[in-house]
Amino acid sequence: MEEITGKFNQSNARVGIVVADFNGAVTSKLVTGAVATLAKFGLADDQVTVFHVPGAFEIPFAVKKLLDKGEFDGIMTLGAVIKGETDHYDLICQNVARGIMELNLQGKVPVTFGILTTDNIEQAMQRAGLKMGNEGASTAQSLLEMMSLGGQIN
Ligand SMILES: Nc1c(NC[C@H](O)[C@H](O)[C@H](O)CO)[nH]c(=O)[nH]c1=O
Ligand SMILES: CC(=O)[C@@H](O)COP(=O)(O)O
């Protein structure tokens, strides 16, 4: 635990969570897992701020606004994109992932990717706290590791 949080000033670190409310039965569980993980590694409630957007497609816009504001030491994204009958799924997945990667590579602060992309709701639920773990929790831990890396490099 110390290794993850030892290389940045955890006591005043600010984390932003951008979550899509689409498939909210899934994404709300991702937020729960993320917040619990951040707390486990010592971040207080007032160090974590959750921002809601309608769907995954709106996540990059919110992340960019937060990066431009410059008040967070790390940002994580959470969502659940579930395949339907059309190619809408593919368009969302590819473009949201590309948008988040581009924002990440701005190199301001780390941005981690916690957006489930599944064939059906069952697969999503399994990755939101059931037998496949909680993608929100793992995305939060990855963010802390990247923030620690930033502290090591800077
Ligand atoms: N089908 C899913 C969506 N679709 C909505 C889009 O993300 C977007 O909000 C809309 O196109 C308006 O711009 N979003 C998800 O997060 N998950 C889905 O399965
Ligand atoms: C990922 C989506 O946008 C998808 O849920 C939409 O469903 P459909 O392709 O059947 O319109």
Side-chain angles (χ1 to χ4, degrees):
M1 188 176 298
E2 291 69 24
E3 184 58 31
I4 284 181
T5 58
K7 297 187 175 64
F8 70 96
N9 186 346
Q10 173 194 347
S11 61
N12 60 15
R14 293 287 319 277
V15 167
I17 300 176
V18 178
V19 60
D21 290 335
F22 204 105
N23 293 319
V26 177
T27 62
S28 60
K29 296 181 188 315
L30 299 179
V31 172
T32 300
V35 170
T37 297
L38 295 171
K40 182 176 77 172
F41 286 106
L43 272 73
D45 289 349
D46 64 0
Q47 293 178 262
V48 181
T49 308
V50 182
F51 300 90
H52 293 263
V53 296
F57 190 81
E58 283 75 38
I59 289 175
F61 176 87
V63 171
K64 176 168 174 39
K65 299 297 280 185
L66 294 178
L67 289 172
D68 291 349
K69 194 163 186 179
E71 292 180 356
F72 290 94
D73 303 293
I75 297 170
M76 57 183 291
T77 62
L78 298 175
V81 185
I82 300 175
K83 197 169 288 186
E85 297 175 351
T86 70
D87 61 2
H88 198 225
Y89 169 88
D90 298 315
L91 293 173
I92 292 178
C93 293
Q94 295 302 325
N95 285 289
V96 170
R98 179 184 53 79
I100 292 170
M101 177 56 79
E102 287 176 0
L103 291 166
N104 215 353
L105 294 179
Q106 283 182 4
K108 293 179 179 176
V109 298
V111 180
T112 50
F113 185 87
I115 300 171
L116 297 173
T117 54
T118 64
D119 291 334
N120 52 56
I121 185 73
E122 292 76 19
Q123 288 179 351
M125 292 301 282
Q126 291 298 336
R127 290 157 178 80
L130 299 181
K131 69 178 179 182
M132 300 297 284
N134 187 304
E135 186 76 11
S138 56
T139 302
Q141 180 155 344
S142 296
L143 181 63
L144 293 178
E145 291 172 7
M146 291 305 293
M147 291 164 65
S148 180
L149 177 67
Q152 184 183 7
I153 293 172
N154 293 336

